[in-house]
Amino acid sequence: MSVLEPRDADVAPKPAAAPPVPVGGGSVLDRAHRALSIGVVSVVLVVAFEATAVGTAMPVAARELNGVSVYAFAFSAYFTTSLLGMVLSGQWSDRSGPLGSLAGGMSAFAAGLVLSGTAGDMWLFILGRAVQGLGGGLVIVALYVVISRAYEEHLRPAMMAAFAAGWVVPSVVGPLAAGTITEHLGWRWVFLAIPVLVVLPLALALPAIRRTASGPADPDAPVAPWDRRRIRLAFGISLGAGLLQYAGQELRWLSVLPALAGAALLVPAVRGLLPRGTYRAARGLPSVVLLRGIAAGSFIAAESFVPLMLVTQRGLSPTLAGLSLAVGGATWALGSWFQSRPRTEPYRERLAVVGMVLVAAAIATAPSVLINAVPVWIVAVAWAFGCFGMGMVITSTSVLLLKLSAPEEAGANSAALQISDGLSNVLLLAAGGAAFATLGGGAVGHAVSADPSTGSHPAAFAAVFLPMAGVAAVGAWVATRLGHGSQGQGQDQDQGRVRVRKS
């Protein structure tokens, strides 16, 4: 893949023109787009249902498989292999189109679920999660390439909003259904039932993708070989992330060794797989990729501790604590829908700034319930506004990424966006978890009793939420750099984009 860098990486020239697409029409549900739109949103629904349902069954699975001590690895295995899948999918999609990556990813996703659902011990269960993560990484990047190739630029915000809306119903129904199945039939059926749901999305999506988005972006150009160095870097980033997660879970002096090894693997991998200038918020594509990581990491790291804080510090039941976040799914979809309106297109950068301000305010407001005089519903209100902001930011970064990517680079750039998202999640979660444990947070598990104050450690929760609010505030500044700089500067002026560096 030919890669050109601007002389001044802080200036990204005008964005690339939208690539020619094989279908027309003015709506994502018109005759030309209907089958494809329903198919890809169905894929999102299945992935969303799995994400919300499997987490409910996981504790029971770990207990029955005598694997509570390695419980966290069931999550980290999915994450680390998904990073590898993202890079592979980026190259695969750029070389021959997203069809193979999507079909292979969904197949691996289903195979991993079956492997976990039939596992006889915890390590086989974790292996299934790793296979599933590889499939998930292949799928998410392939979907972005489909949107890039099969939809005109003015329709892409609506499709990204549809993706966000696809999470609303699973976020409500998924845990309830999984809990009922686990209680009456057993946890294995949660894993074994989901692969059946994969058949319908594939039947809808694959024929439509074959008609509209298959093959290389430029059929007349020679097919580029697999970039082996990028694949090695992908293995490095996956292994490095896994080592950092392990080190963050083991607060011992010996944990410094895996932490250092993980950092040594991550640094060169991140530099090679993300756009040049990402770490310093260079204008254009680098800032888009960086903002995605900042928004996702700070918000998810904070959200992970909200139910625990409400249960242990204010005595809420787990059900009520979970319901305090339930409205967030709807407001997230609402924010995503709002940014998709044609009238908001000229203000996309401002929407991202406002969205990050809402996210920072929500995270900073949440720990106010550590003061007993503050009503607990404040968290639900704050999180509803924070999710609205996330809906605007996450979808806007997706739209901008495709706008700034050449057709033949949509896969690699989409992989960079997803890597920034996932890697930021694990790094900020590890940092937040370490701060939480250092200030005595490990003892709050004993506070789930009639008197939660006996295990109260408000400082431990404050040490998570306040730094994450600061990270989100930095994201508001990064959002001011999403636009392009002055035209006429940089080597890549004729192409009008900053590209992911060739590895």
Side-chain angles (χ1 to χ4, degrees):
M1 179 175 66
S2 173
V3 179
L4 298 174
E5 298 290 348
R7 290 190 183 96
D8 181 359
D10 267 328
V11 178
K14 63 181 180 178
V21 291
V23 293
S27 166
V28 297
L29 290 177
D30 61 22
R31 179 177 298 179
H33 297 89
R34 187 180 302 123
L36 180 62
S37 298
I38 294 174
V40 295
V41 172
S42 296
V43 171
V44 173
L45 279 168
V46 171
V47 174
F49 185 80
E50 180 277 335
T52 57
V54 165
T56 303
M58 199 88 76
V60 180
R63 186 172 62 246
E64 291 190 7
L65 295 174
N66 298 317
V68 175
S69 61
V70 292
Y71 177 75
F73 288 104
F75 292 95
S76 61
Y78 182 100
F79 169 76
T80 54
T81 55
S82 69
L83 290 174
L84 174 61
M86 292 169 190
V87 177
L88 294 176
S89 182
Q91 290 203 44
W92 193 350
S93 297
D94 285 340
R95 293 178 77 252
S96 56
L99 184 64
S101 180
L102 181 62
M106 291 297 285
S107 299
F109 187 79
L113 284 164
V114 172
L115 185 58
S116 292
T118 57
D121 61 71
M122 191 61 179
W123 287 110
L124 190 59
F125 180 89
I126 291 173
L127 176 61
R129 292 286 293 164
V131 174
Q132 189 184 343
L134 178 65
L138 290 170
V139 168
I140 187 62
V141 173
L143 289 177
Y144 272 67
V145 178
V146 170
I147 300 305
S148 172
R149 294 193 183 185
Y151 292 87
E152 296 91 332
E153 185 175 310
H154 71 280
L155 295 180
R156 293 172 189 166
M159 278 306 299
M160 293 301 176
F163 281 10
W167 282 80
V168 175
V169 173
S171 66
V172 177
V173 176
L176 178 62
T180 302
I181 293 173
T182 300
E183 183 177 348
H184 293 92
L185 299 177
W187 64 268
R188 295 184 185 275
W189 287 104
V190 175
F191 289 85
L192 296 176
I194 294 176
V196 178
L197 303 178
V198 170
V199 177
L200 178 60
L202 287 181
L204 290 171
L206 295 186
I209 293 173
R210 184 178 291 109
R211 292 193 305 270
T212 60
S214 61
D218 184 357
D220 298 326
V223 177
W226 285 90
D227 191 331
R228 296 181 180 179
R229 185 166 184 265
R230 287 182 67 82
I231 294 175
R232 290 197 299 271
L233 291 175
F235 277 106
I237 202 172
S238 297
L239 181 57
L243 289 171
L244 283 179
Q245 282 184 312
Y246 174 78
Q249 295 162 12
E250 299 288 335
L251 292 180
R252 299 178 300 172
W253 282 110
L254 289 178
S255 298
V256 174
L257 297 178
L260 291 176
L265 289 168
L266 275 179
V267 171
V270 170
R271 289 178 60 85
L273 294 173
L274 299 186
R276 178 173 293 174
T278 297
Y279 71 96
R280 56 188 175 84
R283 286 193 177 275
L285 182 63
S287 285
V288 171
V289 172
L290 178 61
L291 178 61
R292 178 59 164 261
I294 289 175
S298 60
F299 188 81
I300 297 302
E303 187 177 58
S304 300
F305 286 87
V306 169
L308 184 64
M309 178 176 65
L310 294 177
V311 170
T312 61
Q313 307 302 295
R314 296 301 296 267
L316 268 65
S317 69
T319 300
L320 287 177
L323 287 175
S324 68
L325 305 179
V327 70
T331 57
W332 187 309
L334 182 62
S336 184
W337 171 85
F338 180 72
Q339 66 75 44
S340 72
R341 300 297 86 198
R343 292 183 180 180
T344 64
E345 179 61 34
Y347 310 103
R348 188 165 299 283
E349 181 178 314
R350 296 182 186 178
L351 289 178
V353 174
V354 172
M356 287 309 303
V357 170
L358 290 175
V359 171
I363 297 174
T365 301
S368 66
V369 298
L370 294 169
I371 303 171
N372 288 331
V374 176
V376 293
W377 54 260
I378 287 294
V379 171
V381 174
W383 227 248
F385 280 98
C387 286
F388 183 85
M390 284 292 288
M392 291 195 296
V393 172
I394 295 299
T395 308
S396 290
T397 55
S398 299
V399 171
L400 286 169
L401 177 108
L402 297 179
K403 185 176 182 179
L404 292 168
S405 298
E408 69 274 9
E409 293 176 330
N413 290 352
S414 297
L417 188 77
Q418 296 301 325
I419 288 171
S420 177
D421 187 317
L423 186 60
S424 179
N425 281 343
V426 70
L427 293 179
L428 292 181
L429 270 171
F436 183 74
T438 300
L439 293 179
V444 300
H446 304 296
V448 186
S449 61
D451 183 13
S453 63
T454 59
S456 179
H457 289 270
F461 289 99
V464 174
F465 286 97
L466 298 183
M468 294 307 158
V471 172
V474 172
W477 171 77
V478 173
T480 66
R481 301 177 63 79
L482 302 181
H484 356 292
S486 301
Q487 297 181 13
Q489 299 186 35
Q491 287 179 312
D492 206 20
Q493 177 185 348
D494 59 327
Q495 296 295 324
R497 63 191 71 90
V498 177
R499 303 180 180 180
V500 174
R501 109 178 62 198
K502 183 179 181 181
S503 301

